[in-house]
Amino acid sequence: MRQPVVLDLDDSVGPLAGRVLLPLRDWEEPIRFGCSMRRLHRFSQLLAGTLPREHGTVFLGSGDFHHLTLPLVQRVPGDWRFQVVVIDNHPDNMRFPFGVHCGSWVRRVAALPRVSHVHVVGITSGDIGRKHAWENYLAPLRAGRLTYWSAGVDVAWAARLGLGAAFRSFDGTEAMVDAFVDSQRTQREPVYLSIDKDAYAPDVAMTNWDQGTLSEAGGAAIIGAVRGRLIGSDITGEISRYRYKSWWKRRLSAMDGQVEADGHKLTEWQAQQHALNLRLLALIEGHRR
């Protein structure tokens, strides 16, 4: 098993055997939730100088840091094309005029020349419903570079705009998982896998974002569908408490519906998250190339 890497931005990831721990707490305020592209580039340069060339799954901490998947995908070695599979309750393809944030990074990954396609699997959020349609970046969907896999969300608006092929919508989560797994049977391209645990039902992993309905078995089936083709992976969605120093981040995170973690339950929830991390790590690293 390759060494897992912990980007220690918020002290939320539990101990992992053989981990490489990068102390990055000074970066928490500057990049948590969102940041300018210039700042993300500086962070990417830091990673380039500190991450070992060969490593295992990268743990990002809170889901507030999911945009850090972008520099991790950018540094995948080699010159071959690959898919990116994102397990997430949200599309992470929403408009954000101030650079990049945890809900807007997918558009930029889909535009990378080496990325052949991005699949976001596990969406039950209304972010892809009619009321929020205007907030989604439509270009990668229209170009056939991005597919949403959702359950229980009315996405009829997409078909009216000619985007129906990019929206794989199902009545239930099990049907969604089965269809995604079936779609991957004939695929041969390598895969970068990113997991945001807010896709899981709360009894699997409690987070402080609105959550999906994915079962642990369903998540394992998705991981199994890319068995043998993994070239990189990350996990986010830890639960941590933080009060932003900047007013605009406090305002934007509140508008996005993020709730503050219950201090009395935090230890219990983090223990639940850690146990799931260990099981996910065994699944992912056991299947890595």
Side-chain angles (χ1 to χ4, degrees), residues 64-85:
D64 295 351
F65 299 108
H66 205 174
H67 48 301
L68 301 186
T69 296
L70 172 57
L72 292 173
V73 172
Q74 288 174 319
R75 71 186 304 274
V76 169
D79 56 5
W80 57 84
R81 286 167 64 80
F82 57 93
Q83 297 181 36
V84 175
V85 174

Side-chain angles (χ1 to χ4, degrees), residues 82-97:
F82 57 93
Q83 297 181 36
V84 175
V85 174
V86 185
I87 299 176
D88 204 310
N89 187 44
H90 307 90
D92 285 5
N93 182 47
M94 310 298 279
R95 297 185 185 278
F96 184 69

Side-chain angles (χ1 to χ4, degrees), residues 161-213:
L161 293 182
L163 299 172
F167 286 70
R168 300 296 305 276
S169 178
F170 302 86
D171 291 334
T173 305
E174 289 187 13
M176 175 196 66
V177 170
D178 289 345
F180 177 78
V181 168
D182 188 61
S183 76
Q184 288 291 307
R185 294 189 194 283
T186 58
Q187 295 295 317
R188 297 292 178 265
E189 284 186 321
V191 171
Y192 184 99
L193 174 67
S194 180
I195 300 174
D196 188 336
K197 287 177 288 183
D198 69 13
Y200 289 100
D203 64 327
V204 180
M206 178 64 73
T207 75
N208 57 333
W209 290 96
D210 59 301
Q211 295 195 230
T213 56

Side-chain angles (χ1 to χ4, degrees), residues 2 55-58 72-73 76-77 82-85 190-194 226 229-234 284-285 288-289:
R2 298 184 183 184
H55 61 79
T57 299
V58 180
L72 292 173
V73 172
V76 169
F82 57 93
Q83 297 181 36
V84 175
V85 174
V191 171
Y192 184 99
L193 174 67
S194 180
V226 295
R229 294 187 285 136
L230 291 176
I231 55 170
S233 54
D234 64 61
I284 293 169
E285 294 300 326
R288 186 187 293 275
R289 281 182 162 191

Side-chain angles (χ1 to χ4, degrees), residues 21-244:
L21 183 70
L22 302 185
L24 298 166
R25 296 301 299 276
D26 289 345
W27 282 87
E28 182 171 14
E29 174 73 20
I31 64 173
R32 187 167 183 147
F33 185 77
C35 62
S36 67
M37 288 304 298
R38 180 177 297 179
R39 180 162 285 163
L40 186 64
H41 178 66
R42 290 202 299 270
F43 185 80
S44 178
Q45 289 178 315
L46 173 67
L47 290 183
T50 55
L51 272 178
R53 181 173 178 81
E54 297 288 336
H55 61 79
T57 299
V58 180
F59 288 81
L60 308 179
S62 165
D64 295 351
F65 299 108
H66 205 174
H67 48 301
L68 301 186
T69 296
L70 172 57
L72 292 173
V73 172
Q74 288 174 319
R75 71 186 304 274
V76 169
D79 56 5
W80 57 84
R81 286 167 64 80
F82 57 93
Q83 297 181 36
V84 175
V85 174
V86 185
I87 299 176
D88 204 310
N89 187 44
H90 307 90
D92 285 5
N93 182 47
M94 310 298 279
R95 297 185 185 278
F96 184 69
F98 309 111
V100 63
H101 84 320
C102 55
S104 72
W105 59 275
V106 161
R107 172 183 69 104
R108 296 181 184 276
V109 166
L112 295 174
R114 291 180 58 205
V115 173
S116 62
H117 202 87
V118 180
H119 296 276
V120 184
V121 192
I123 304 171
T124 66
S125 165
D127 284 353
I128 64 170
R130 180 176 58 82
K131 290 183 179 179
H132 296 279
W134 67 273
E135 296 178 65
N136 287 256
Y137 287 109
L138 301 185
L141 295 160
R142 186 173 288 119
R145 297 181 65 89
L146 171 62
T147 301
Y148 293 159
W149 297 76
S150 67
V153 185
D154 183 357
V155 294
W157 66 270
R160 290 194 291 270
L161 293 182
L163 299 172
F167 286 70
R168 300 296 305 276
S169 178
F170 302 86
D171 291 334
T173 305
E174 289 187 13
M176 175 196 66
V177 170
D178 289 345
F180 177 78
V181 168
D182 188 61
S183 76
Q184 288 291 307
R185 294 189 194 283
T186 58
Q187 295 295 317
R188 297 292 178 265
E189 284 186 321
V191 171
Y192 184 99
L193 174 67
S194 180
I195 300 174
D196 188 336
K197 287 177 288 183
D198 69 13
Y200 289 100
D203 64 327
V204 180
M206 178 64 73
T207 75
N208 57 333
W209 290 96
D210 59 301
Q211 295 195 230
T213 56
L214 186 66
S215 66
E216 187 168 351
I222 294 170
I223 295 170
V226 295
R227 184 191 311 268
R229 294 187 285 136
L230 291 176
I231 55 170
S233 54
D234 64 61
I235 295 175
T236 188
E238 311 302 322
I239 189 165
S240 64
R241 303 183 75 190
Y242 186 72
R243 180 169 176 79
Y244 296 102

